Amino acid sequence: MTNRREKHWEKLDNTANIFPVIAGENMTNTYRICAVLKEDIQPELLQEAVDIVTPKFPGFNVRLRSGVFWYYLEENGKKAPTVVEESQYPCRLIHPNLNRSYLFHVTYYKKRINLEVFHALADGMGGVTFLRELIYQYLRLAHEDLRAKYSDDLSDETSLNREDSYLRNFQKACKAPYKAGRAFLIKGEHLPYHGFGVIAGLIPLQEIKQVTKEKYHTTINDYIVSAFIYSTYQRFRGQIRMDRPVRVAVPVNLRPYFESITTKNFFVMISAEFYPEKEDYSFEEILEITRACLKEQMTRENLEAIFSYNVSNEKVLIGRAVPLPVKNLAMKIVYTKNALANTTTITNIGKMSVSEDYGQYIDRFYSFLPFSKGQDLKCAITSFGEEMTVCFSSSLTDTSVPGGVFRQMAKDGIHVSVETNDLF
């Protein structure tokens, strides 16, 4: 008799539980992180790299399964997803039945490697970890000097930790630490054929650091969020009201606050709010409002309260005993209410760190966020070397809000080069 090894399985983390429930063609929950190399991609070597890396990542070598009460992840074990040349817009829904049951896929275009990840697997930090190892393996295969120096083992800097850090750091049930009504939503004519518009600003990192630190005495995050609010305020001044404020959701990576190295989701959302209490505002005034709003929320105690509240809801025994279809309906209702409380989401993936041996072959990194209910315009920030990329994903034909953000930067003396895809 042949002994069959039992497949590893794990529960979804607290944040991941919502993504299978709300995922669809118009709300894919699939984000993209990509690297642009200094050389054309060799597809067969990229496929070999994916084949090497995938089995070594327990958080990516999985498929989504549905139980009686919850979704869960189960070890996949199939051959890694097939690498193909990019032929559609970014951040489309991943269909597991067309992808060997995997919840990520890898494509390429000229010099660019694209990793797209269904958010139930990992947040941006988990995606970055996988992409970095994929790039390392690809470049090792493509260059004899790297192949002679390195094996196909994962680098020492890579964590495979799959701890649910929400549960480990959960303290106790508490009241909701946030109350948010409906926000102003940016609406307008949509791009044809469900298009995914990309507007990317390429910015010298030292210039924006100098402006934010020396002129405004603030952070890059606060500055970009403020520029977005100010641009939205200028474009839609007559439509933004006290009962429909501009509210920007800002994901906060919790790992530094709670000493975590998990590759699962471990973040919470805070928000910058702008209520128009008078006729006219300068950029400096909006920056001060934004800075104070975010600073107040960026404490360990508040961040802990946010995810503890979310975890406490999950831990309610009655809720855990509700069959999955009923639970899905309730979660959709709650999500819709919360989704309409934000005008947009702006996330900063951070500065990409790679080994110097590999970094010499890399030009830049980008990241894109998918659209979600009520949010047809989003922004993701990524840095590498001496350059920062500020990438807007948009389903709207109107580009005035991203344009206003880059005009504010130019006004402050920051040199911005703007790239778009063919939709603009």
Side-chain angles (χ1 to χ4, degrees):
M1 180 180 294
T2 303
N3 291 327
R4 295 184 62 185
R5 184 176 66 88
E6 185 176 344
K7 290 185 176 181
H8 170 77
W9 69 275
E10 63 182 47
K11 294 180 180 180
L12 296 181
D13 60 74
N14 177 260
T15 297
N17 280 316
I18 189 63
F19 296 122
V21 176
I22 61 175
E25 293 291 347
N26 296 323
M27 195 157 57
T28 66
N29 300 292
T30 301
Y31 64 83
R32 170 182 286 198
I33 307 174
C34 51
V36 180
L37 306 187
K38 296 178 181 178
E39 58 197 39
D40 287 337
I41 304 301
Q42 301 178 59
E44 67 283 358
L45 296 186
L46 182 56
Q47 181 67 66
E48 188 176 346
V50 173
D51 293 341
I52 291 171
V53 172
T54 301
K56 299 182 179 188
F57 269 80
F60 280 72
N61 184 26
V62 292
R63 59 178 177 173
L64 184 68
R65 308 284 280 180
S66 57
V68 177
F69 300 114
W70 291 107
Y71 291 99
Y72 64 96
L73 297 173
E74 180 184 72
E75 181 183 350
N76 190 329
K78 295 181 182 178
K79 187 177 179 181
T82 301
V83 172
V84 297
E85 186 173 17
E86 183 177 17
S87 61
Q88 60 181 4
Y89 295 123
C91 304
R92 290 309 193 199
L93 184 67
I94 296 176
H95 296 276
N97 59 322
L98 302 177
N99 196 47
R100 296 179 180 152
S101 302
Y102 286 97
L103 300 173
F104 75 95
H105 57 208
V106 177
T107 62
Y108 69 94
Y109 181 73
K110 295 183 178 179
K111 294 179 171 63
R112 189 175 70 236
I113 297 174
N114 309 308
L115 171 68
E116 298 201 331
V117 182
F118 184 53
H119 220 317
L121 288 188
D123 57 20
M125 294 305 298
V128 163
T129 300
F130 185 87
L131 178 61
R132 183 172 55 208
E133 286 297 339
L134 180 60
I135 293 169
Y136 283 178
Q137 292 297 340
Y138 171 79
L139 290 173
R140 186 184 67 83
L141 294 169
H143 295 276
E144 290 187 10
D145 59 327
L146 295 175
R147 194 159 59 247
K149 188 173 181 179
Y150 298 101
S151 71
D152 66 1
D153 293 334
L154 300 180
S155 60
D156 293 338
E157 61 193 308
T158 290
S159 168
L160 297 179
N161 184 289
R162 293 296 289 170
E163 169 192 83
D164 187 334
S165 292
Y166 292 114
L167 286 179
R168 179 171 71 84
N169 292 284
F170 166 75
Q171 291 301 314
K172 61 180 180 179
C174 60
K175 294 182 179 180
Y178 46 82
K179 292 182 180 179
R182 291 281 294 269
F184 169 75
L185 303 181
I186 298 174
K187 298 179 180 180
E189 182 182 352
H190 284 81
L191 294 166
Y193 311 113
H194 304 286
F196 189 105
V198 174
I199 307 171
L202 312 180
I203 300 161
L205 188 55
Q206 289 305 315
E207 288 188 8
I208 193 168
K209 280 184 176 180
Q210 185 175 8
V211 166
T212 54
K213 184 177 180 180
E214 297 182 8
K215 182 176 181 178
Y216 293 112
H217 309 289
T218 191
T219 66
I220 291 175
N221 264 21
D222 289 354
Y223 176 81
I224 294 176
V225 172
S226 301
F228 181 92
I229 294 174
Y230 183 61
S231 180
T232 304
Y233 161 70
Q234 289 187 309
R235 172 65 178 84
F236 299 100
R237 185 177 303 208
Q239 302 175 44
I240 300 167
R241 311 189 307 264
M242 289 294 291
D243 63 338
R244 291 290 187 273
V246 178
R247 186 177 293 116
V248 178
V250 179
V252 178
N253 174 23
L254 295 172
R255 292 169 182 82
Y257 293 89
F258 297 93
E259 298 181 352
S260 170
I261 55 172
T262 185
T263 56
K264 286 192 170 191
N265 290 291
F266 194 41
F267 70 97
V268 295
M269 293 286 196
I270 61 174
S271 60
E273 301 176 331
F274 169 67
Y275 294 86
E277 297 179 334
K278 61 177 186 175
E279 283 293 318
D280 193 45
Y281 285 85
S282 66
F283 172 70
E284 288 78 7
E285 288 175 308
I286 287 180
L287 175 59
E288 189 55 40
I289 292 169
T290 300
R291 177 167 46 196
C293 187
L294 293 177
K295 182 180 180 180
E296 181 182 13
Q297 299 169 72
M298 286 285 287
T299 66
R300 189 184 192 278
E301 292 73 22
N302 182 63
L303 300 175
E304 184 180 272
I306 293 173
F307 72 76
S308 291
Y309 170 76
N310 295 335
V311 172
S312 66
N313 289 336
E314 178 188 338
K315 291 171 75 70
V316 175
L317 292 178
I318 296 176
R320 296 176 68 181
V322 174
L324 187 59
V326 178
K327 191 171 290 169
N328 286 351
L329 179 60
M331 291 175 74
K332 282 184 180 180
I333 294 171
V334 173
Y335 173 81
T336 298
K337 180 181 178 181
N338 291 335
L340 298 179
N342 291 299
T343 306
T344 190
T345 300
I346 298 179
T347 186
N348 191 339
I349 299 296
K351 189 164 187 177
M352 305 292 291
S353 174
V354 300
S355 166
E356 186 176 348
D357 286 347
Y358 296 101
Q360 62 182 313
Y361 298 103
I362 303 171
D363 188 22
R364 66 170 60 102
F365 285 87
Y366 292 89
S367 52
F368 302 133
L369 291 179
F371 313 131
S372 59
K373 193 174 187 67
Q375 298 183 41
D376 293 322
L377 177 66
K378 292 189 178 184
C379 179
I381 306 161
T382 318
S383 303
F384 176 70
E386 296 303 314
E387 185 178 69
M388 170 179 284
T389 58
V390 178
C391 297
F392 288 94
S393 46
S394 177
S395 66
L396 305 171
T397 59
D398 186 352
T399 62
S400 58
V401 172
V405 172
F406 296 135
R407 279 193 298 274
Q408 180 62 47
M409 292 180 181
K411 181 180 178 182
D412 285 325
I414 301 169
H415 293 85
V416 184
S417 300
V418 178
E419 296 180 352
T420 67
N421 61 354
D422 56 359
L423 287 171
F424 296 124

